[in-house]
Amino acid sequence: MFAVDGLTVSYGQSEVIHGVSFKAAKNETIAIMGRNGMGKTTLFKSMMGILPSKQGKVEVDGVDVAGMESHRRVRSGMAYVPQGRWIFPTLTVQENIETGLEKSKTKQIPEDIYALFPVLFDMRKRKGGNLSGGQQQQLAIARALVTDPKVLLLDEPTEGIQPSIIKDIAKVLNEIRKLREITIIVSEQVLSFTLEIADRLIVIDKGKFIHEDLRANVDTAKISQYLSV
C-alpha cells in the first residue's frame, strides 16, 4: 500500500535523510522511532511533499507521488497529522474537521468520525483553542481521516500529552485500523505507545535506518538505548 525507496532529502548542501527505504502493507502500522533531531519530522514532511526530496520514490498503492504537490498526494490517498497538531484555534471543532473536507469527494463529515472521537461530538461547538492537548490531537487525527485516506502519517502524536490520554489515542488508532483497514505510519519516542499500536518498529539515527524489528521480537532494552540521549 505504501512504499518509500531510496528517499534522500537535503537542506541546501547538507543531506539529512540518506536514501531510506521501507514498505508498509494495507492495514499495517509502522513506527519510526528516534531521538529529537534524528530526521523523523524531515522524513515525514518529505513523504507528504511539504519538503522536496532530492531523489527517491514515494508510492501509494503503486502510484509514485514523489513529484506531486501535497494536495495531490492527499487526493492520491495520503493524510498527515503534523507535529504540534496545527489545528485552527479560532474555529470550532466542527469547523476544524470540515476544513479537511476541502479535498474530499463528499462534503459531509463521515458518521464514524464522531463515533471514534465522542469527546469531539460533545465539544463540536467549542473553539479548537479551548481544547486540551490530547483533545486537539484527536481533532487533528479526525480532520485527517475525513479525506478517507489509504495511508495516515502521524508525526509525534504523543508529544506534550498526558499518559492517560496517550492510552486513549493508542486505542483509537487501533480502532481506526480495524474500521478503515488503513496503513498507519507514525513517528514516535514513546516506546510503550508504539508497542500498543505498531506491527513493526524502525529506528532512525542521523537520517538513516539503523534497526528494524517486528513488535513480537522487539528487545525493549535495545530500543530504549537507541532512544536515550
Side-chain angles (χ1 to χ4, degrees), residues 1-221:
M1 180 53 72
F2 188 67
V4 171
D5 183 22
L7 194 67
T8 300
V9 185
S10 298
Y11 288 121
Q13 298 298 310
S14 178
E15 190 173 287
V16 288
I17 301 295
H18 310 288
V20 302
S21 302
F22 71 96
K23 291 181 179 179
K26 184 178 180 179
N27 207 27
E28 182 178 24
T29 299
I30 292 180
I32 296 175
M33 305 200 71
R35 305 190 310 276
N36 283 336
M38 293 298 108
K40 299 190 302 298
T41 294
T42 298
L43 173 61
F44 274 60
K45 283 182 174 179
S46 180
M47 290 190 297
M48 199 61 215
I50 297 163
L51 285 174
S53 55
K54 191 175 172 184
Q55 62 185 43
K57 289 182 178 180
V58 178
E59 293 186 353
V60 180
D61 205 8
V63 176
D64 186 7
V65 300
M68 293 184 185
E69 294 174 327
S70 297
H71 67 89
R72 289 185 61 208
R73 298 190 195 206
V74 172
R75 286 192 183 279
S76 297
M78 294 181 71
Y80 175 57
V81 179
Q83 185 181 23
R85 300 177 276 280
W86 291 95
I87 57 113
F88 298 102
T90 58
L91 298 183
T92 66
V93 165
Q94 183 166 323
E95 288 166 343
N96 264 279
I97 295 171
E98 286 171 349
T99 63
L101 291 169
E102 187 183 340
K103 301 299 178 187
S104 172
K105 296 178 187 74
T106 93
K107 298 301 176 188
Q108 296 291 320
I109 296 173
E111 288 181 13
D112 66 349
I113 292 295
Y114 285 134
L116 284 164
F117 303 99
V119 68
L120 298 183
F121 180 77
D122 296 338
M123 297 183 169
R124 63 193 183 281
K125 302 299 183 191
R126 191 177 293 189
K127 292 273 174 50
N130 294 334
L131 272 57
S132 70
Q135 289 161 351
Q136 288 184 5
Q137 185 64 64
Q138 291 180 66
L139 176 55
I141 296 169
R143 181 180 61 191
L145 284 175
V146 296
T147 61
D148 195 21
K150 299 171 183 175
V151 180
L152 177 64
L153 305 181
L154 295 156
D155 191 8
E156 301 265 17
T158 67
E159 186 181 52
I161 294 174
Q162 63 193 65
S164 62
I165 305 299
I166 289 175
K167 286 183 180 295
D168 289 345
I169 290 171
K171 187 178 173 184
V172 166
L173 290 178
N174 285 330
E175 193 68 21
I176 288 165
R177 194 167 66 154
K178 203 182 297 177
L179 287 173
R180 299 277 191 107
E181 294 194 335
I182 192 172
T183 300
I184 299 174
I185 315 294
V186 58
S187 83
E188 253 310 327
Q189 294 188 67
V190 179
L191 183 56
S192 58
F193 173 75
T194 58
L195 291 174
E196 287 282 327
I197 64 164
D199 300 297
R200 279 189 290 146
L201 280 72
I202 300 172
V203 178
I204 188 170
D205 185 76
K206 296 175 184 171
K208 293 180 181 177
F209 289 165
I210 60 167
H211 181 81
E212 180 175 343
D213 241 332
L214 294 170
R215 175 173 56 182
N217 302 332
V218 163
D219 180 338
T220 55

